[in-house]
Amino acid sequence: MKTDKTSGGEEDTALKKLLHKGQSRFFSRKKGWIFAGILVVAVGLFLLFRSDDKANGPRYKTEPATTGKLVVKVSATGNLQPVNMVDVGSELSGIITEVFVDNNDFVKTGQVLAQLDLSKLKDSVARSKADLLAAEAHVAQSKATAMEAHALLERYKQVSKLSDGKVPSKSEMDAAEANLKRAEANEAVAKATVIQAKANLQSDETNLAKASIRAPINGVVLMRNIEPGQTVAATFQAPVLFSLADDLAKMKLQVDVDEADVSQVKVGQQATFSVDAWTGRKYSGVITRVDFGSQTKDGVVSYPTLLEVNNDDLSLRPGMTATAEIITVTQENALLVPNAALRFSPPATAATPKKPSGSIMNKLMPMPRMRPSSPRKNPTAQKEGGARVWVLQEGQPVSVDVQTGPTNGQVTEIVGGTLEPGMEVITEMLGAAS
């Protein structure tokens, strides 16, 4: 019987252990499921809060900072002109009898371009020659008279010497001396008349030569403004009969540079330009002069600038309107950012980064408010003399101070600061994500 009790007790103990072990497994499994459920709920809430933050936060458009070649150009318009252009006119009035050249004719220095009527001019030359002959004859006559007066005075002196001064009388001696001086004065006047007659003859011969209108330079006739039979009136100013241009293989382009760009334009800079006559073709030129004097057209101040142009094929013609692009800066391996990145400035709320939450429970349970700390400096404040761009870090805009260099209107060179190539700079804010 005792043995039976013992075996029965052992069986009860084994049963209790079995039941206890089953209960332990059940409760352990139940705790696991509870922990897994709490974890799933926490992750769901975290994703919910994160998605809400993303949905409510702004979105930004970015572009990378790149390294490349920067070319800065200044645009200006103007007109082509010959290097040397001469207007040929007439100093004389008269009727044009002949015209020997036409537009586009090549001429040489001294070549006769047109002829005035020579009849009156030839008459003037003949009259001047006659006046000269008459003056020379008057000189001979005056010289003879002077010689006669001189001889008479000498005789009077000999007679006076032989007669011990008795004859001739004193009045006769004075008259003889006066006649000699008068004759010598007349001879001088006659000689001056000869000089004047020669000058008149030379002037008339010059006018006769000027009646043949000649080319002052080697070049081409750009414009002919006279026809045979027309009358030239040169009373107040010389009328322009022909316009001649020197070698058209070399031309000049005068452009008007805006006052905002003139500080960048220097002598020796290269430029390209185009004309409407040759679409798609680019010509080259070199700046030879930038005027200090300004001009104002329609309220716009500009400065005339000259470019030397090569025109070997004669495709360019005087007066053509040209649009030039003057290359003021060429920079290799420059760090470039879009100009929109320099203009961008995020709102104050977006520019101030949020403090990290720390844990999920911090999001789920409100934390007591902390006393406000000392005020910070405005993160959007920009250093004097510098510039600022914004980059994204963990979804928030962060400012980067930079120093800017030249710009071509689309991109700007960064010459200082902590910006690195490849960093994404913000160019605009697209708004809240949907």
Side-chain angles (χ1 to χ4, degrees):
M1 296 299 290
K2 200 172 189 178
T3 306
D4 294 338
K5 287 181 181 180
T6 301
S7 69
E10 291 177 354
E11 289 178 1
D12 291 339
T13 301
L15 180 62
K16 288 180 180 180
K17 288 182 178 181
L18 180 62
L19 292 175
H20 178 71
K21 187 176 182 180
Q23 289 176 355
S24 298
R25 290 180 180 179
F26 173 77
F27 285 112
S28 177
R29 186 178 299 174
K30 185 177 181 181
K31 288 180 180 179
W33 282 107
I34 292 173
F35 177 76
I38 293 174
L39 182 60
V40 170
V41 171
V43 172
L45 291 175
F46 173 76
L47 295 177
L48 178 62
F49 279 113
R50 185 176 181 183
S51 63
D52 288 342
D53 289 342
K54 290 184 177 180
N56 296 328
R59 294 184 298 116
Y60 301 97
K61 180 180 179 181
T62 62
E63 292 187 26
T66 59
T67 302
K69 181 179 180 180
L70 176 66
V71 179
V72 180
K73 299 179 180 180
V74 171
S75 297
T77 58
N79 296 98
L80 287 159
Q81 302 172 7
V83 174
N84 184 23
M85 183 173 178
V86 179
D87 291 332
V88 181
S90 174
E91 297 181 24
L92 305 176
S93 298
I95 298 175
I96 297 292
T97 57
E98 291 181 277
V99 178
F100 301 105
V101 295
D102 204 348
N103 293 340
N104 298 339
D105 286 349
F106 288 90
V107 297
K108 295 182 178 181
T109 302
Q111 180 179 339
V112 178
L113 306 179
Q115 186 76 59
L116 288 171
D117 184 14
L118 302 179
S119 56
K120 291 184 179 181
L121 297 174
K122 289 180 178 180
D123 292 343
S124 297
V125 171
R127 184 165 52 251
S128 296
K129 287 182 178 179
D131 292 341
L132 177 60
L133 293 175
E136 291 174 345
H138 185 63
V139 168
Q141 184 179 1
S142 299
K143 185 180 292 187
T145 302
M147 290 177 63
E148 182 182 6
H150 183 268
L152 180 62
L153 180 61
E154 289 296 324
R155 284 197 301 271
Y156 280 175
K157 288 181 179 180
Q158 289 179 358
V159 171
S160 176
K161 184 178 181 181
L162 293 173
S163 63
D164 293 330
K166 296 180 180 179
V167 292
S169 63
K170 188 176 184 309
S171 60
E172 289 176 338
M173 288 291 293
D174 292 340
E177 289 180 355
N179 287 335
L180 177 59
K181 291 181 179 180
R182 192 179 297 112
E184 290 175 348
N186 289 336
E187 183 182 358
V189 171
K191 290 181 179 179
T193 304
V194 170
I195 296 175
Q196 183 177 4
K198 287 181 178 180
N200 290 336
L201 176 60
Q202 185 177 359
S203 177
D204 289 338
E205 288 176 344
T206 301
N207 288 338
L208 181 62
K210 288 181 178 180
S212 299
I213 301 170
R214 300 176 183 273
I217 60 172
N218 294 329
V220 61
V221 180
L222 295 182
M223 190 176 298
R224 164 182 161 178
N225 298 323
I226 197 68
E227 296 294 337
Q230 290 184 347
T231 300
V232 176
T235 305
F236 299 104
Q237 63 181 13
V240 177
L241 307 182
F242 302 93
S243 293
L244 305 182
D246 206 347
D247 186 10
L248 291 181
K250 298 290 185 181
M251 299 188 71
K252 61 182 180 181
L253 172 61
Q254 177 172 323
V255 297
D256 299 330
V257 177
D258 190 83
E259 61 176 326
D261 301 323
V262 71
S263 62
Q264 307 176 48
V265 179
K266 309 293 180 183
V267 173
Q269 289 177 340
Q270 300 291 325
T272 59
F273 67 92
S274 60
V275 294
D276 293 338
W278 304 98
T279 304
R281 181 173 178 179
K282 292 291 185 179
Y283 295 87
S284 61
V286 180
I287 295 179
T288 58
R289 190 182 76 198
V290 181
D291 288 357
F292 287 102
S294 63
Q295 60 184 8
T296 303
K297 296 179 181 178
D298 299 329
V300 178
V301 178
S302 59
Y303 293 82
T305 301
L306 284 182
L307 290 82
E308 183 180 295
V309 177
N310 189 6
N311 188 33
D312 290 335
D313 60 353
L314 302 181
S315 59
L316 299 174
R317 302 188 181 188
M320 283 184 171
T321 301
T323 302
E325 291 184 337
I326 303 169
I327 302 174
T328 59
V329 175
T330 301
Q331 186 67 39
E332 301 286 349
N333 298 322
L335 179 59
L336 306 176
V337 297
N339 284 2
L342 296 169
R343 295 191 298 265
F344 174 79
S345 180
T349 55
T352 305
K354 297 180 180 179
K355 293 183 177 180
S357 58
S359 66
I360 299 175
M361 297 305 296
N362 290 335
K363 292 180 176 288
L364 298 177
M365 299 181 64
M367 299 294 293
R369 293 188 177 182
M370 303 295 293
R371 298 181 63 181
S373 59
S374 58
R376 293 185 176 182
K377 294 182 180 180
N378 184 2
T380 61
Q382 183 175 333
K383 294 182 179 180
E384 184 178 357
R388 173 166 293 178
V389 295
W390 296 82
V391 298
L392 281 179
Q393 291 185 3
E394 298 181 357
Q396 296 295 334
V398 177
S399 65
V400 177
D401 292 331
V402 295
Q403 293 180 356
T404 59
T407 177
N408 62 4
Q410 297 179 346
V411 294
T412 298
E413 181 185 7
I414 303 301
V415 297
T418 58
L419 189 69
E420 298 291 339
M423 295 179 68
E424 295 285 339
V425 293
I426 304 174
T427 57
E428 67 176 298
M429 187 170 68
L430 302 177
S434 56

